[in-house]
Amino acid sequence: MLDLNRYVPAFITFIGNKLSNSATAFYQKNFGVNVTEWRIISQLAIEPGIPASRICQVIGFDKGPVSRNLAALQKRGLLTIRTAPDDGRTHSITLTARGRAIHDKVIVAALERERRLLSCLKKDEREVLIELLRRLHENLGAVTGQSTT
């Protein structure tokens, strides 16, 4: 029988689910975006002009949900999707000024939520946690058979 107090995949899943659900409720109420839309917006702020495949790779979602969210964000005027100039088979996705403004508001709240989550840890513990999570993320291929970068 699993000991859920020691089974790391369960801890990660439980924490992720609870963070995502509360983030969706908070971001939707205050900024009009759900957590998946926020993840896409934040990735586009980091890597302007990336294709949908890159977004899927980074956030770990299938093409379907990402495509639906991209269409919804485009319809609301938060991003533009254009055929990539160097490859007519792919699309370049960028935030509009309105999308950037949403990003700039949500990021303040997102960083505050992170600060509150980590407030139970000392600074050196936070650094260790971040490094351990980074290493686990890089090692996901040992379980999934897929690259995470």
Side-chain angles (χ1 to χ4, degrees):
M1 178 182 337
L2 277 180
D3 179 355
L4 292 180
N5 290 316
R6 301 203 44 79
Y7 187 59
V8 173
F11 267 127
I12 292 170
T13 299
F14 298 162
I15 290 168
N17 288 344
K18 291 171 184 175
L19 281 172
S20 287
N21 291 339
S22 67
T24 284
F26 182 80
Y27 298 156
Q28 191 71 54
K29 177 183 172 197
N30 293 286
F31 308 107
V33 295
N34 65 42
V35 74
T36 303
E37 291 171 335
W38 164 241
R39 289 173 182 156
I40 291 169
I41 289 168
S42 64
Q43 191 60 40
L44 290 171
I46 294 166
E47 294 184 69
I50 61 172
S53 60
R54 173 70 180 149
I55 295 169
C56 293
Q57 180 184 33
V58 171
I59 67 175
F61 279 14
D62 292 330
K63 230 166 64 167
V66 170
S67 293
R68 285 189 295 278
N69 280 279
L70 286 170
L73 290 167
Q74 182 180 32
K75 186 175 181 180
R76 294 190 343 248
L78 301 179
L79 56 81
T80 59
I81 302 173
R82 294 190 175 93
T83 301
D86 56 336
D87 181 356
R89 297 169 295 160
T90 62
H91 294 90
S92 172
I93 308 166
T94 55
L95 292 175
T96 62
R98 195 165 157 217
R100 176 54 85 167
I102 292 288
H103 169 272
D104 293 349
K105 291 176 187 173
V106 178
I107 195 162
V108 174
L111 292 173
E112 174 57 19
R113 284 174 50 86
E114 179 195 40
R115 186 198 65 73
R116 290 192 342 242
L117 175 66
L118 299 177
S119 67
C120 64
L121 302 176
K122 297 175 186 156
K123 185 178 193 286
D124 59 329
E125 291 173 323
R126 289 190 303 265
E127 294 304 318
V128 169
L129 175 64
I130 291 166
E131 177 57 26
L132 293 173
L133 289 171
R134 184 178 297 116
R135 286 171 41 199
L136 286 174
H137 188 253
E138 290 169 358
N139 195 47
L140 276 175
V143 176
T144 65
Q146 298 174 341
S147 171
T148 58
T149 55

